[in-house]
Amino acid sequence: MILCNIDVDNLPLIAGGDDYKIWDLDTKGVFSVKSAKAAIKAPAEVLPTATLFTRKVVHPTLSVQYWKIWAKQCCATEDNIIKKTGRSMPTICRLCRKNDETMSHITWHCKVAKRIWAWAVTIFKLQPSEDLVASYKAAKGQSRMIKDVWLVANLAIVTELWKMRNKVYFEDFKMHWLGFKGRVYQVIRDNSIRMKGHMYNTQEDLRILNYFRVQHRSSKFSTPKEVSWFPPNPDEIMICCDGASRGNPGQAGAGVTFRDANVVVLGVLSVGLGCQTNYFAEVSAVIYGAMLAKREVNFSADALAKQACLLAEDIFEFYEGRPGFLLSVEWPGEWKYREDKEAEESFY
């Protein structure tokens, strides 16, 4: 400091007051600049569409190609020209030569686009949508493997339509339906190598996966198990506790429920823990609950823990009796069922 001509006694006070710790160790116990940057960095807005085409099941090349189309930065269609220059210029679709050329028309409303989407509907028995998020939600209730294949199919069809338009425009390429459908099929099959999800052991799943010749297919079987509990003795109080975090690490909280022998809710406690790991939240719930009473029917404490994630760090909220927001609690003698999922690998 002296060699740098810095007077330690005259250093400016940036915030004033006593010194305090700005950031803590990361999840691996390392005190690094990266962890400090993550602590002060404002979370960026993440659009739902972007979270879909950037998943690991999608090859980076396909992801980047779809991003160019989604951001409308890929070709000189009418909507893109207006966006960049503010002027409207006459255009014509190079595929059908009947309508104005916009990105929406090329990928959805052109007769070529309608034909390839109709082909996808016959394979998946799902209804696609121009909005990728809505189209992905059409696969709700399907197995993870089918959802991933359906997502890749949506991306592959859109990008291949864009490539076909460019070939016709710049190379005077003559479109052949079987060749175009074969390229879409090959993109879906190539990306299926990255899919490691489970399938349902149904003929419908087998039909779709066999069509695209997907090699890795595993089935997940669920075995329901009965879970119940009994109230404590008359001279005892049952303490149910649970912890939760919105991310790992993330904003964490702990919840505790106190009940007597008549299963009456004597009180509940919610504690904000700040940015912590899920393990830390679970341990803190035990500490604040004074004893471990964790059960599989511990739904009310779980609800309190999730609500505590919204509290600031070291903020306690205690309610005497059952609060109004605790809409449902468990009762003894009620049989609850949870799924004990076991994955059995099977290859066809």
Side-chain angles (χ1 to χ4, degrees):
M1 299 291 283
I2 297 176
L3 295 177
C4 296
N5 295 323
I6 298 177
D7 188 0
V8 181
D9 297 329
N10 293 325
L11 291 176
L13 296 177
I14 298 178
D18 299 331
D19 295 338
Y20 59 92
K21 182 170 60 175
I22 298 178
W23 80 90
D24 207 343
L25 304 179
D26 60 13
T27 55
K28 297 182 180 180
V30 179
F31 188 78
S32 62
V33 177
K34 182 179 180 181
S35 63
K37 181 180 178 181
I40 63 177
K41 181 180 179 181
E45 181 182 4
V46 180
L47 299 178
T49 304
T51 60
L52 288 177
F53 65 79
T54 56
R55 289 186 174 181
K56 292 183 179 180
V57 297
V58 182
H59 193 277
T61 301
L62 180 61
S63 178
V64 171
Q65 290 173 352
Y66 187 86
W67 173 81
K68 291 179 180 179
I69 300 173
W70 178 62
K72 295 182 175 60
Q73 299 291 334
C74 57
C75 60
T77 55
E78 182 181 12
D79 49 357
N80 201 18
I81 293 175
I82 296 175
K83 177 182 177 182
K84 291 184 176 180
T85 65
R87 294 176 293 178
S88 177
M89 297 180 62
T91 60
I92 186 171
C93 176
R94 301 291 172 168
L95 299 179
C96 67
R97 297 188 177 273
K98 291 184 178 180
N99 299 89
D100 295 335
E101 187 182 52
T102 63
M103 188 55 64
S104 176
H105 174 77
I106 293 174
T107 56
W108 282 95
H109 305 293
C110 178
K111 65 177 183 179
V112 178
K114 290 181 178 179
R115 187 174 180 181
I116 190 65
W117 284 116
W119 168 74
V121 170
T122 59
I123 300 300
F124 290 93
K125 309 299 182 185
L126 300 173
Q127 188 61 40
S129 173
E130 190 169 353
D131 181 10
L132 181 61
V133 177
S135 185
Y136 181 74
K137 288 182 178 180
K140 183 178 181 181
Q142 302 290 331
S143 64
R144 171 53 56 189
M145 180 66 77
I146 299 300
K147 287 182 178 179
D148 291 341
V149 177
W150 173 245
L151 172 62
V152 173
N154 278 259
L155 304 181
I157 291 175
V158 172
T159 54
E160 288 301 319
L161 285 169
W162 165 51
K163 291 180 182 179
M164 176 58 63
R165 179 266 179 193
N166 289 342
K167 284 186 177 182
V168 174
Y169 186 90
F170 295 106
E171 303 175 12
D172 198 20
F173 183 81
K174 299 298 182 181
M175 178 181 172
H176 301 281
W177 169 249
L178 292 179
F180 175 70
K181 187 175 70 171
R183 284 190 294 273
V184 174
Y185 173 89
Q186 192 62 39
V187 173
I188 298 174
R189 182 185 176 188
D190 292 344
N191 280 261
S192 67
I193 300 175
R194 304 172 63 90
M195 302 175 189
K196 305 300 179 183
H198 299 283
M199 59 165 282
Y200 295 154
N201 193 22
T202 61
Q203 292 183 353
E204 190 66 17
D205 280 21
L206 286 174
R207 181 187 62 81
I208 297 175
L209 298 180
N210 284 335
Y211 183 87
F212 293 105
R213 298 182 183 178
V214 178
Q215 298 298 324
H216 176 86
R217 291 170 292 181
S218 56
S219 300
K220 177 174 286 188
F221 299 94
S222 300
T223 304
K225 290 188 175 181
E226 295 181 349
V227 180
S228 64
W229 66 284
F230 301 95
N233 296 325
D235 57 344
E236 296 177 347
I237 295 179
M238 184 175 69
I239 304 178
C240 303
C241 50
D242 194 13
S245 63
R246 306 181 69 181
N248 195 18
Q251 194 68 21
V256 185
T257 306
F258 303 88
R259 307 182 73 171
D260 61 10
N262 298 320
V263 300
V264 176
V265 178
L266 301 177
V268 298
L269 173 66
S270 295
V271 185
L273 302 175
C275 184
Q276 301 290 348
T277 63
N278 187 65
Y279 174 77
F280 182 89
E282 294 283 356
V283 174
S284 298
V286 177
I287 296 175
Y288 287 116
M291 62 182 296
L292 179 63
K294 188 170 183 289
R295 301 172 183 266
E296 291 294 336
V297 291
N298 202 13
F299 302 127
S300 57
D302 179 70
L304 292 169
K306 289 181 172 61
Q307 177 173 326
C309 293
L310 305 177
L311 300 177
E313 186 175 2
D314 296 331
I315 297 298
F316 293 74
E317 288 188 354
F318 181 78
Y319 301 87
E320 184 175 355
R322 177 179 171 180
F325 61 82
L326 196 60
L327 301 179
S328 61
V329 293
E330 316 82 45
W331 293 96
E334 290 184 350
W335 291 96
K336 305 291 183 180
Y337 293 88
R338 66 177 178 86
E339 292 185 349
D340 187 20
K341 296 182 178 179
E342 298 177 356
E344 178 178 322
E345 301 291 338
S346 58
F347 299 91
Y348 297 86

